[in-house]
Amino acid sequence: QDMINITFPDGSVREFEQGITPFGVAESISPRFAADVLAAKVNGEEWDISRPIDGDSSIELFKWDSPEGKHAFWHSSAHLLAEALQELYPGVPQSRTGSITISLPASIRLLPMISRKSRRR
């Protein structure tokens, strides 16, 4: 397996096997740290934490305490909720951005069922 160099924000460089993911990089730092990582940037580009890195790169890893981590969490949560709603109610209108609007009383009544569907993902 070919090796690649990953540069961290502090300028330090570590060698990893080609194809490592941002999650794998985080795990190499500490399993606890990896469990808290919600988002990553590779070479300044938003990068899924399960997407392989194929060449020498710079990396930033984000937890909840950063705006990037919060954005990734809420964005992913919104997609899971939208998927659960679409599965429960295939006719629910969805915008071009993927957002779904339902009335508040319906939302409150349906919350337990939506929650169960979301957890299955």
Side-chain angles (χ1 to χ4, degrees):
Q1 181 85 325
D2 290 336
M3 303 301 281
I4 60 172
N5 291 315
I6 300 293
T7 304
F8 292 88
D10 67 359
S12 63
V13 178
R14 288 186 49 197
E15 194 173 64
F16 294 91
E17 287 188 4
Q18 184 178 13
I20 188 141
T21 64
F23 183 78
V25 172
E27 278 189 316
S28 78
I29 295 168
S30 129
R32 178 71 189 123
F33 176 70
D36 289 341
V37 170
L38 298 170
K41 281 188 180 178
V42 173
N43 298 325
E45 176 187 340
E46 288 184 10
W47 203 270
D48 187 285
I49 63 171
S50 64
R51 181 177 166 192
I53 303 169
D54 293 324
D56 293 347
S57 301
S58 62
I59 193 167
E60 294 175 81
L61 300 167
F62 303 104
K63 301 187 312 181
W64 175 257
D65 60 1
S66 69
E68 293 88 349
K70 284 180 177 64
H71 173 77
F73 175 84
W74 292 118
H75 184 82
S76 296
S77 297
H79 277 285
L80 287 173
L81 179 59
E83 286 178 25
L85 284 169
Q86 286 289 314
E87 195 172 307
L88 287 167
Y89 304 98
V92 170
Q94 193 170 0
S95 73
R96 287 189 323 255
T97 62
S99 62
I100 293 176
T101 304
I102 60 175
S103 69
L104 187 57
S107 301
I108 292 170
R109 279 195 322 276
L110 300 174
L111 204 51
M113 189 175 3
I114 294 167
S115 180
R116 284 191 299 276
K117 279 283 186 195
S118 294
R119 273 189 250 137
R120 290 188 191 140
R121 303 231 169 266

